[in-house]
Structure formats: C-alpha cells, structure tokens
Amino acid sequence: MSGPRPPALLTLVHGCAALLAAGCLLGMLGGGLVDRGIALAFGVLVTLGELTRWTGAEGREAAPLGAAAALAYALLGESGGEPSEHGVAQVIGVVLAASLLGSVPHIARGRPVLDHLARRVLTVGFAAACFQPLFNQGTFHGWGTSYALLLLAILTLTTLCDAVLAAALAHARTRWPFGPLLRDQLRATLGVGSAVCATGAVMALAVAVVGLWALPVFSLPLLLTQMSVRRYAAVRTTYRQTIASLARATEIAGYTPAGHARRVAELSREVGRDLGLSEAELTVLEYAALMHDIGQLSLVDPVPAGATAVLPVEEQRRIALLGGAVVRQTGVSPQVATVVERLADPGPEQPVAARIVRAVNAYEEKARDAGPDGPLKALEELRLGTSGDYSPEVVGSLARVLSSRRAGALAMPSGMRLRGSLGQGGGG
C-alpha cells in the first residue's frame, strides 16, 4: 500500500530547488570550474559546516558555519584584490556539491536532509542572484562603506527568505499554523542567524582584501559560538529530562496511571500549536502539563485512578495550589508554577496554558479505559461543559487535533498505524 502523497507546497519547494540545482550543475559542468582554489576553499568550509550540523533547540537543524561560508561565497566579488570570475551557477553548484558531501553521515543515520538542502539551494541562489550580476557589471564600484551595508542588507533579506521557507516547509509537513511557525523562525534568527549574517559579510569582505587566509580566522568565532549553543541545548535537554522524571513521581507512587502525564503533555503541546502559541509558551505549557498532578503527592489518601477532573472544585483548587508550591521548590520556572496553581480557577480567569492543561487532562481521564466510544463521549462531555468549566476555544482546538490524529493514522499503512488517534486518550 502506497503512502500518502506529499503536500503540494512541499513538492513545489523541492521541485524548484531541484530544477535550480540541476540547471546550475549542468551550467557549471558545461562552462568548467573557474577560480578552482577559491571554489575548493569555500567548498571545504561548507562541507565542514555540514559535517558538524546538529539538531538544535526545539528540533531545528543548525549548521551555522556551512551557512556563513555558503553566503560568503555567494557575496564574494574579489579575492586578495583580484576580481573573482565565478557566477551564480557556480556558487549554487559548489555549495550544493559540498552540502551533499557533508550530509552523507546524516543520510547514513537516517536523518532527513531534503528540506535542509532545498532551503540551502534556494537561499544561496537568491543571495548570489542579488549580488553577482550587479557586481560583475561594476555597479558597486566605489561604494566605499556603503558596500558593507549592501552585503548586510542582502544577507538580511536572504535570512528572511530562509525563515519563510523553513516555516512553509514545517507547515506543509505538520499542518501547524503558519503564522506562529514563522514567528518562531524569526525569533530564532535573532540568535545564531545574526551571527551567521555578520560572519558571512565579514568573510566576503576579508577575503576580498587579504585572500583565502581570512577564512580560518573568521571561522573560529563561529565555531566557538556553535559549541556554546550546543552546550546550551544539552543543558536544556537535561532540564527537560529532569522535569519528566519529577512528573513520573506520581506514577511511581501509584497516584496516577502510568504514562498519564506524558500523554497530557503531548496532547497539550499539539493543542497549543493549533492555537498559535509561541515556542517559549509551548515549553511552559509542556512543563506544566507534565507536572499538573504533582500536588497529589501531598494527599494522605490517593484520588481513585488519579482522576481529579471529577473532584469538587475546592478539592481541585487545593491540589493545584499544593502542586504549584511543589513546583516552586523544584527550581522550575515560576511561569510553570503559576500555570499549575491556576488549573482549578474559573475558566475566564485562567491563562491559556492552564485552560489547555485542564481540558486535556479532563479528556484523558474521561476517555481512559472507556472503550471504543470513550474518546467521543469524553469530547462531548467537554463540549457540554464549555459554559463554565472548559474554554470553548480550547475544546474546539482539541477536537481538531484529535481529528487530525485520526486522519493521520488512517493515512498510514495498516501495519504502521498509530495506536492513538481519538483513542489515544485511553489507558497507559
């Protein structure tokens, strides 16, 4: 049985990148490689950058050295005071060949590279097309300091185009709202992206003056930045694992069913995505969902099956306040503690994250072990409770997410279908 067809937008982006790459490679092979030393030096740098590529924060692929070297080559007009003769086709061809070579280990490990390569080809092609023809015509001769500002302007536009492409590809693959995805991409660009732009511009300017010796000198700061970012990502991963371990304390103690906190966190994050929360807000939401039941550890007698949604409001509020106090003592962000504390507040007064966790937790408890029709009945109960207990907006989003899960499961081959869809709210 064949799998589902890829989204049209995904096919369009990949197709445009493939046509551009094929045309440039044929043009480069037909006309021959000019300035071979320069091409080899930048190709080696791009390859090294791809080899050191890693999955950064929130799953984003990061190859700052490769990106900076590729953009610097696209904006290179001279080397050591002598005009370079490479054009747009050679820039794209060299960058593509080097990126493919550097991606071999990632392909061998089964990591997806098509989106990354498509973005690299299109963004480098955009930068080269903006710069190379005009430079070769002598348009920028005598610009002085304005020339450096021009390079930064082109790099800024290129970075914006890359952010739009990344958000579009993520939207095509996940069907998450495009606006929040683009916002998160632009926010991420202000970090490592700004360093990539600055390094790319400085590389191009330095090579134009002193030659290829500038490449290793200006690559070192970006490599150090990359190491720092990777350490920060490792710390965040450890932090997330610590919170997940704390959340399992209620399961180990027998207060809640196994896997309950993880299921609530996963579904809450999907609902938050659907509602357009930013990446930072999603992180707070996920942590609060993982720790939403931790207040039950303070109870003398466990709640049957850990089902707090059926308790009286005052008892729910007491558990929420106890949970918030525990979270504050663990050193987790105060924002997470605030969400946990306000899980039992009246609906209109709750922050969005608290509304999401409350509705998803209630759905998971009501659907758990309720048979094949349990998920639908649980969702209907939440809809009936939207007048006061649950936010209509959140319940509507939850219904869309569950429907999407079901559609995704049905679209997969029968042997690989997810156990979830609407029934994923069931037992652990």
Side-chain angles (χ1 to χ4, degrees):
M1 180 177 178
S2 60
R5 295 177 60 185
L9 179 59
L10 204 64
T11 303
L12 176 63
V13 173
H14 288 175
C16 290
L19 288 175
L20 178 61
C24 291
L25 285 174
L26 290 174
M28 186 179 70
L29 293 174
L33 192 66
V34 299
D35 293 332
R36 295 187 179 183
I38 298 175
L40 179 61
F42 277 95
V44 168
L45 207 56
V46 172
T47 302
L48 178 61
E50 291 300 320
L51 289 172
T52 58
R53 173 159 55 97
W54 89 102
T55 302
E58 312 303 341
R60 292 189 180 89
E61 292 291 321
L65 180 59
L71 292 174
Y73 189 43
L75 302 181
L76 185 68
E78 296 180 349
S79 177
E82 297 293 329
S84 58
E85 299 179 0
H86 65 272
V88 176
Q90 180 165 314
V91 168
I92 296 175
V94 169
V95 169
L96 175 61
S99 299
L100 283 171
L101 182 61
S103 296
V104 169
H106 304 292
I107 296 173
R109 296 188 185 101
R111 296 176 182 172
V113 298
L114 280 180
D115 288 359
H116 175 75
L117 291 176
R119 285 168 53 194
R120 178 59 54 82
V121 167
L122 293 174
T123 53
V124 169
F126 174 81
C130 289
F131 177 82
Q132 292 292 334
L134 295 177
F135 183 88
N136 293 334
Q137 294 173 9
T139 304
F140 306 136
H141 181 69
W143 275 40
T145 55
S146 299
Y147 180 71
L149 296 177
L150 171 74
L151 296 186
L152 286 175
I154 294 176
L155 286 171
T156 301
L157 289 175
T158 303
T159 303
L160 291 175
C161 290
D162 183 59
V164 171
L165 276 175
L169 289 170
H171 170 71
R173 288 195 179 278
T174 64
R175 295 302 179 187
W176 293 336
F178 175 77
L181 288 171
L182 178 59
R183 180 182 59 198
D184 290 334
Q185 288 292 338
L186 293 174
R187 186 172 296 167
T189 298
L190 296 177
V192 177
S194 59
V196 169
C197 286
T199 304
V202 171
M203 274 186 180
L205 292 171
V207 171
V209 176
V210 302
L212 296 176
W213 291 106
L215 291 181
V217 174
F218 289 100
S219 298
L220 184 59
L222 199 57
L223 283 172
L224 295 175
T225 301
Q226 181 171 330
M227 291 176 60
S228 299
V229 173
R230 293 187 71 165
R231 286 186 178 181
Y232 174 72
V235 170
R236 289 197 62 179
T237 300
T238 304
Y239 183 67
R240 186 185 298 266
Q241 292 171 346
T242 302
I243 290 177
S245 298
L246 287 171
R248 291 190 65 241
T250 57
E251 300 173 9
I252 295 172
Y255 283 82
T256 57
H260 170 71
R262 174 183 52 81
R263 291 192 296 272
V264 172
E266 290 175 355
L267 189 51
S268 294
R269 191 175 176 90
E270 291 184 50
V271 172
R273 281 279 188 190
D274 183 77
L275 290 174
L277 269 62
S278 68
E279 204 64 53
E281 291 169 331
L282 287 174
T283 300
V284 172
L285 171 63
E286 180 183 3
Y287 292 169
L290 283 170
M291 306 185 77
H292 74 279
D293 273 328
I294 203 166
Q296 294 194 43
L297 293 174
S298 302
L299 301 178
V300 176
D301 298 318
V303 178
T308 56
V310 297
L311 295 176
V313 174
E314 289 304 319
E315 185 65 14
Q316 291 185 35
R317 184 169 290 111
R318 187 171 76 89
I319 294 174
L321 292 175
L322 289 171
V326 173
V327 173
R328 291 185 188 280
Q329 292 176 5
T330 62
V332 178
S333 168
Q335 293 177 294
V336 176
T338 299
V339 173
V340 173
E341 288 171 344
R342 301 188 63 182
L343 287 176
D345 286 1
E349 300 177 11
Q350 288 179 308
V352 175
R355 298 178 196 176
I356 294 173
V357 176
R358 181 176 186 175
V360 172
N361 175 65
Y363 166 80
E364 210 279 336
E365 290 179 359
K366 294 175 185 295
R368 186 171 57 226
D369 301 327
D373 296 331
L376 293 176
K377 292 179 180 178
L379 196 57
E380 187 61 28
E381 286 186 40
L382 293 186
R383 285 198 178 103
L384 294 175
T386 54
S387 58
D389 293 336
Y390 308 107
S391 165
E393 183 182 16
V394 172
V395 174
S397 175
L398 176 60
R400 290 193 298 271
V401 169
L402 294 170
S403 177
S404 177
R405 279 187 172 188
R406 180 177 178 81
L410 293 176
M412 297 179 67
S414 58
M416 297 176 60
R417 283 181 185 164
L418 298 175
R419 295 174 58 192
S421 70
L422 283 179
Q424 194 161 4

Coordinates of all heavy atoms in Angstrom, one line a residue, residues 81-142:
G81 N 42.2 41.2 -3.6 CA 42.2 42.4 -4.5 C 42.0 42.1 -6.0 O 41.9 43.0 -6.8
E82 N 42.0 40.8 -6.3 CA 41.7 40.4 -7.7 C 40.3 40.0 -7.9 O 39.7 39.3 -7.1 CB 42.6 39.3 -8.1 CG 44.1 39.6 -8.0 CD 44.5 40.6 -9.1 OE1 43.9 40.6 -10.2 OE2 45.5 41.4 -8.8
P83 N 39.6 40.4 -9.0 CA 38.2 40.1 -9.3 C 38.1 38.6 -9.4 O 38.9 37.9 -10.0 CB 37.9 40.8 -10.6 CG 38.9 41.9 -10.7 CD 40.2 41.4 -10.1
S84 N 37.1 38.0 -8.8 CA 36.7 36.6 -9.0 C 35.8 36.5 -10.2 O 35.1 37.4 -10.6 CB 36.1 36.0 -7.7 OG 34.9 36.8 -7.4
E85 N 35.8 35.3 -10.8 CA 35.1 35.1 -12.1 C 33.9 34.2 -12.0 O 33.3 33.9 -13.0 CB 36.1 34.7 -13.2 CG 37.2 35.7 -13.4 CD 38.1 35.2 -14.5 OE1 37.9 34.0 -15.0 OE2 39.1 35.9 -14.8
H86 N 33.7 33.6 -10.8 CA 32.6 32.7 -10.7 C 31.3 33.4 -10.7 O 31.2 34.6 -10.3 CB 32.7 31.9 -9.4 CG 32.6 32.8 -8.1 ND1 33.6 33.4 -7.5 CD2 31.5 33.1 -7.4 CE1 33.2 34.1 -6.5 NE2 31.9 33.9 -6.4
G87 N 30.2 32.8 -11.2 CA 28.9 33.4 -11.3 C 27.9 32.7 -10.4 O 28.2 31.8 -9.6
V88 N 26.6 32.9 -10.7 CA 25.5 32.4 -9.8 C 25.5 30.9 -10.0 O 25.4 30.2 -8.9 CB 24.2 33.0 -10.3 CG1 23.0 32.3 -9.5 CG2 24.2 34.5 -10.1
A89 N 25.7 30.3 -11.2 CA 25.6 28.9 -11.4 C 26.7 28.2 -10.6 O 26.4 27.1 -10.0 CB 25.7 28.6 -12.9
Q90 N 27.9 28.7 -10.6 CA 29.0 28.0 -9.9 C 28.8 28.1 -8.4 O 29.1 27.1 -7.7 CB 30.3 28.6 -10.3 CG 31.5 28.0 -9.6 CD 32.8 28.3 -10.2 OE1 33.0 28.3 -11.4 NE2 33.8 28.6 -9.4
V91 N 28.3 29.2 -7.9 CA 28.0 29.3 -6.5 C 27.1 28.3 -6.0 O 27.3 27.5 -5.1 CB 27.5 30.7 -6.2 CG1 26.9 30.8 -4.7 CG2 28.5 31.8 -6.3
I92 N 25.9 28.1 -6.7 CA 24.9 27.1 -6.3 C 25.5 25.7 -6.5 O 25.3 24.8 -5.6 CB 23.7 27.3 -7.2 CG1 23.0 28.7 -6.8 CG2 22.7 26.2 -6.9 CD1 21.8 29.0 -7.7
G93 N 26.2 25.5 -7.6 CA 26.8 24.1 -7.9 C 27.8 23.7 -6.8 O 27.7 22.6 -6.3
V94 N 28.7 24.6 -6.5 CA 29.7 24.3 -5.4 C 29.1 24.1 -4.1 O 29.4 23.1 -3.4 CB 30.8 25.4 -5.4 CG1 31.7 25.2 -4.2 CG2 31.6 25.4 -6.7
V95 N 28.2 25.0 -3.7 CA 27.5 24.9 -2.4 C 26.7 23.6 -2.3 O 26.7 22.9 -1.3 CB 26.6 26.1 -2.1 CG1 25.7 25.9 -0.9 CG2 27.5 27.3 -1.9
L96 N 26.0 23.2 -3.4 CA 25.2 22.0 -3.4 C 26.1 20.8 -3.3 O 25.8 19.9 -2.5 CB 24.4 21.9 -4.7 CG 23.5 20.6 -4.8 CD1 22.6 20.5 -3.7 CD2 22.8 20.6 -6.2
A97 N 27.2 20.7 -4.1 CA 28.1 19.6 -4.0 C 28.7 19.4 -2.6 O 28.7 18.3 -2.1 CB 29.1 19.7 -5.1
A98 N 29.1 20.5 -2.0 CA 29.7 20.5 -0.7 C 28.7 20.1 0.4 O 29.0 19.3 1.3 CB 30.3 21.8 -0.3
S99 N 27.5 20.6 0.2 CA 26.4 20.3 1.2 C 26.0 18.8 1.1 O 25.8 18.1 2.1 CB 25.2 21.1 0.9 OG 25.5 22.5 1.1
L100 N 26.0 18.3 -0.1 CA 25.7 16.8 -0.3 C 26.8 16.0 0.3 O 26.5 15.0 1.0 CB 25.5 16.5 -1.8 CG 24.2 16.9 -2.4 CD1 24.3 16.7 -3.9 CD2 23.0 16.1 -1.8
L101 N 28.0 16.4 0.1 CA 29.1 15.6 0.7 C 29.1 15.6 2.2 O 29.3 14.6 2.9 CB 30.5 16.2 0.2 CG 31.7 15.5 0.6 CD1 31.7 14.0 0.1 CD2 33.0 16.2 0.1
G102 N 28.8 16.8 2.8 CA 28.8 16.9 4.2 C 27.5 16.3 4.8 O 27.5 16.0 6.0
S103 N 26.5 16.0 4.0 CA 25.3 15.4 4.5 C 25.3 13.9 4.5 O 24.4 13.2 5.0 CB 24.1 15.9 3.7 OG 23.9 17.2 3.8
V104 N 26.4 13.3 3.9 CA 26.5 11.8 3.8 C 26.3 11.1 5.2 O 25.5 10.2 5.3 CB 27.8 11.4 3.1 CG1 28.0 9.9 3.2 CG2 27.7 11.8 1.6
P105 N 27.0 11.6 6.2 CA 26.9 10.9 7.5 C 25.4 11.0 8.0 O 24.9 10.1 8.7 CB 27.9 11.6 8.4 CG 28.9 12.2 7.5 CD 28.1 12.6 6.3
H106 N 24.8 12.2 7.8 CA 23.4 12.4 8.3 C 22.5 11.5 7.5 O 21.5 10.9 8.1 CB 23.0 13.8 8.1 CG 24.0 14.8 8.8 ND1 24.1 14.9 10.2 CD2 24.8 15.7 8.3 CE1 25.0 15.8 10.5 NE2 25.5 16.3 9.3
I107 N 22.7 11.3 6.2 CA 21.8 10.4 5.4 C 22.0 9.0 5.9 O 21.1 8.2 6.0 CB 22.2 10.5 3.9 CG1 21.8 12.0 3.5 CG2 21.4 9.5 3.1 CD1 22.3 12.3 2.0
A108 N 23.3 8.6 6.2 CA 23.6 7.2 6.7 C 22.9 6.9 8.0 O 22.5 5.8 8.2 CB 25.1 7.1 6.8
R109 N 22.7 8.0 8.8 CA 22.0 7.8 10.1 C 20.5 7.8 10.0 O 19.7 7.8 10.9 CB 22.4 8.8 11.1 CG 23.9 8.7 11.5 CD 24.2 9.6 12.6 NE 25.7 9.7 12.9 CZ 26.5 10.6 12.5 NH1 26.0 11.6 11.8 NH2 27.8 10.6 12.9
G110 N 20.0 8.1 8.7 CA 18.5 8.1 8.5 C 17.9 9.5 8.8 O 16.7 9.6 8.9
R111 N 18.7 10.5 8.9 CA 18.2 11.8 9.2 C 17.7 12.5 7.9 O 18.3 12.4 6.9 CB 19.2 12.7 9.9 CG 19.7 12.3 11.2 CD 20.8 13.1 11.7 NE 21.4 12.7 13.0 CZ 22.4 13.2 13.6 NH1 23.1 14.1 13.0 NH2 22.8 12.7 14.8
P112 N 16.5 13.2 8.0 CA 16.0 13.8 6.7 C 16.9 15.0 6.4 O 17.3 15.8 7.2 CB 14.6 14.3 7.1 CG 14.7 14.4 8.6 CD 15.6 13.3 9.1
V113 N 17.2 15.2 5.1 CA 18.1 16.3 4.6 C 17.5 17.0 3.5 O 18.0 18.1 3.1 CB 19.5 15.8 4.2 CG1 20.2 15.1 5.4 CG2 19.4 14.8 3.1
L114 N 16.3 16.6 2.9 CA 15.8 17.2 1.7 C 15.4 18.6 2.0 O 15.7 19.5 1.2 CB 14.6 16.4 1.2 CG 14.9 15.2 0.4 CD1 13.6 14.5 -0.1 CD2 15.8 15.5 -0.8
D115 N 14.7 18.9 3.1 CA 14.2 20.3 3.4 C 15.4 21.2 3.6 O 15.5 22.3 3.1 CB 13.4 20.3 4.6 CG 12.0 19.7 4.4 OD1 11.7 19.3 3.3 OD2 11.2 19.6 5.4
H116 N 16.4 20.7 4.3 CA 17.6 21.5 4.6 C 18.4 21.8 3.3 O 18.7 23.0 3.0 CB 18.6 20.7 5.5 CG 19.9 21.4 5.7 ND1 20.0 22.4 6.6 CD2 21.1 21.1 5.3 CE1 21.3 22.8 6.6 NE2 22.0 22.0 5.8
L117 N 18.5 20.8 2.4 CA 19.2 21.1 1.1 C 18.4 22.0 0.2 O 19.0 22.9 -0.5 CB 19.5 19.8 0.4 CG 20.5 18.8 1.1 CD1 20.6 17.5 0.3 CD2 21.9 19.5 1.1
A118 N 17.1 21.9 0.2 CA 16.3 22.7 -0.6 C 16.4 24.2 -0.2 O 16.5 25.1 -1.0 CB 14.8 22.3 -0.6
R119 N 16.3 24.4 1.2 CA 16.5 25.7 1.7 C 17.9 26.3 1.4 O 18.0 27.5 1.0 CB 16.3 25.7 3.2 CG 14.8 25.6 3.6 CD 14.8 25.3 5.1 NE 15.5 26.3 5.9 CZ 15.8 26.1 7.2 NH1 15.5 25.0 7.8 NH2 16.4 27.1 7.9
R120 N 18.9 25.5 1.5 CA 20.2 26.0 1.2 C 20.4 26.4 -0.3 O 20.9 27.5 -0.6 CB 21.2 24.9 1.6 CG 22.7 25.2 1.3 CD 23.2 26.4 2.1 NE 22.9 26.3 3.5 CZ 23.7 25.6 4.4 NH1 24.8 25.0 3.9 NH2 23.4 25.6 5.6
V121 N 19.9 25.6 -1.2 CA 20.0 25.9 -2.6 C 19.2 27.2 -2.9 O 19.7 28.1 -3.6 CB 19.5 24.7 -3.5 CG1 19.3 25.2 -4.9 CG2 20.4 23.6 -3.4
L122 N 18.0 27.3 -2.4 CA 17.2 28.5 -2.8 C 17.7 29.8 -2.1 O 17.7 30.8 -2.8 CB 15.7 28.2 -2.3 CG 15.0 27.1 -3.1 CD1 13.6 26.8 -2.5 CD2 14.9 27.5 -4.6
T123 N 18.1 29.7 -0.9 CA 18.6 30.9 -0.2 C 19.9 31.4 -0.8 O 20.1 32.6 -1.0 CB 18.7 30.7 1.3 OG1 19.5 29.6 1.6 CG2 17.3 30.5 1.9
V124 N 20.8 30.4 -1.0 CA 22.1 30.8 -1.6 C 21.9 31.3 -3.0 O 22.6 32.3 -3.4 CB 23.1 29.6 -1.6 CG1 24.3 29.9 -2.4 CG2 23.5 29.3 -0.1
G125 N 21.0 30.7 -3.8 CA 20.7 31.2 -5.1 C 20.2 32.6 -5.1 O 20.5 33.4 -5.9
F126 N 19.3 32.9 -4.1 CA 18.7 34.2 -4.0 C 19.8 35.3 -3.7 O 19.9 36.3 -4.4 CB 17.7 34.3 -2.9 CG 17.2 35.6 -2.6 CD1 16.2 36.2 -3.3 CD2 17.7 36.4 -1.5 CE1 15.7 37.4 -3.1 CE2 17.2 37.6 -1.2 CZ 16.2 38.2 -2.0
A127 N 20.7 34.9 -2.8 CA 21.8 35.9 -2.5 C 22.7 36.1 -3.6 O 23.1 37.2 -4.0 CB 22.6 35.4 -1.2
A128 N 23.1 35.0 -4.3 CA 24.0 35.1 -5.5 C 23.4 35.9 -6.6 O 24.0 36.7 -7.3 CB 24.4 33.7 -5.9
A129 N 22.1 35.7 -6.8 CA 21.4 36.4 -7.9 C 21.3 37.9 -7.6 O 21.3 38.7 -8.6 CB 20.0 35.7 -8.1
C130 N 21.2 38.2 -6.4 CA 21.1 39.6 -6.0 C 22.4 40.3 -6.1 O 22.5 41.5 -6.4 CB 20.6 39.8 -4.5 SG 18.9 39.4 -4.3
F131 N 23.5 39.6 -6.0 CA 24.8 40.2 -5.9 C 25.7 40.0 -7.2 O 26.2 41.0 -7.7 CB 25.6 39.7 -4.7 CG 27.0 40.2 -4.6 CD1 27.2 41.4 -4.0 CD2 28.1 39.5 -5.0 CE1 28.5 42.0 -3.9 CE2 29.4 40.0 -4.9 CZ 29.6 41.2 -4.4
Q132 N 25.9 38.8 -7.6 CA 26.9 38.5 -8.6 C 26.7 39.3 -10.0 O 27.6 39.9 -10.5 CB 26.9 37.0 -8.9 CG 27.5 36.2 -7.8 CD 29.0 36.4 -7.5 OE1 29.7 36.8 -8.4 NE2 29.4 36.2 -6.3
P133 N 25.5 39.3 -10.5 CA 25.3 40.0 -11.8 C 25.6 41.5 -11.7 O 26.3 42.1 -12.6 CB 23.8 39.8 -12.2 CG 23.5 38.5 -11.5 CD 24.2 38.6 -10.2
L134 N 25.2 42.2 -10.6 CA 25.4 43.6 -10.5 C 26.9 43.9 -10.2 O 27.4 44.9 -10.7 CB 24.6 44.1 -9.3 CG 23.0 44.1 -9.6 CD1 22.3 44.6 -8.3 CD2 22.7 45.0 -10.8
F135 N 27.5 43.0 -9.4 CA 29.0 43.2 -9.1 C 29.8 43.1 -10.4 O 30.7 43.9 -10.7 CB 29.5 42.2 -8.1 CG 30.9 42.4 -7.7 CD1 31.3 43.3 -6.7 CD2 31.9 41.8 -8.4 CE1 32.6 43.5 -6.4 CE2 33.2 41.9 -8.1 CZ 33.6 42.8 -7.1
N136 N 29.5 42.1 -11.2 CA 30.2 41.8 -12.4 C 30.0 43.0 -13.4 O 30.9 43.2 -14.3 CB 29.8 40.5 -13.1 CG 30.2 39.3 -12.2 OD1 31.2 39.4 -11.5 ND2 29.5 38.2 -12.3
Q137 N 28.9 43.7 -13.3 CA 28.7 44.9 -14.2 C 29.4 46.1 -13.7 O 29.3 47.2 -14.3 CB 27.2 45.1 -14.4 CG 26.5 44.0 -15.1 CD 25.0 44.2 -15.1 OE1 24.5 45.3 -14.6 NE2 24.2 43.2 -15.5
G138 N 30.0 46.0 -12.5 CA 30.7 47.2 -11.9 C 29.8 48.2 -11.2 O 30.1 49.3 -10.9
T139 N 28.5 47.7 -10.9 CA 27.6 48.6 -10.2 C 28.0 49.1 -8.9 O 27.8 50.2 -8.5 CB 26.2 47.8 -10.1 OG1 25.8 47.4 -11.4 CG2 25.2 48.8 -9.5
F140 N 28.8 48.2 -8.1 CA 29.1 48.6 -6.8 C 30.5 49.2 -6.7 O 31.0 49.4 -5.6 CB 29.1 47.3 -5.9 CG 27.8 46.6 -5.9 CD1 27.8 45.2 -6.1 CD2 26.6 47.3 -5.9 CE1 26.6 44.5 -6.1 CE2 25.4 46.6 -5.9 CZ 25.4 45.2 -6.1
H141 N 31.1 49.5 -7.8 CA 32.5 50.1 -7.8 C 32.5 51.5 -7.1 O 31.6 52.3 -7.5 CB 33.0 50.2 -9.2 CG 34.4 50.7 -9.3 ND1 35.5 50.0 -8.8 CD2 34.9 51.9 -9.7 CE1 36.6 50.8 -9.0 NE2 36.2 51.9 -9.5
G142 N 33.3 51.7 -6.1 CA 33.4 53.0 -5.5 C 32.4 53.3 -4.4 O 32.2 54.4 -4.0

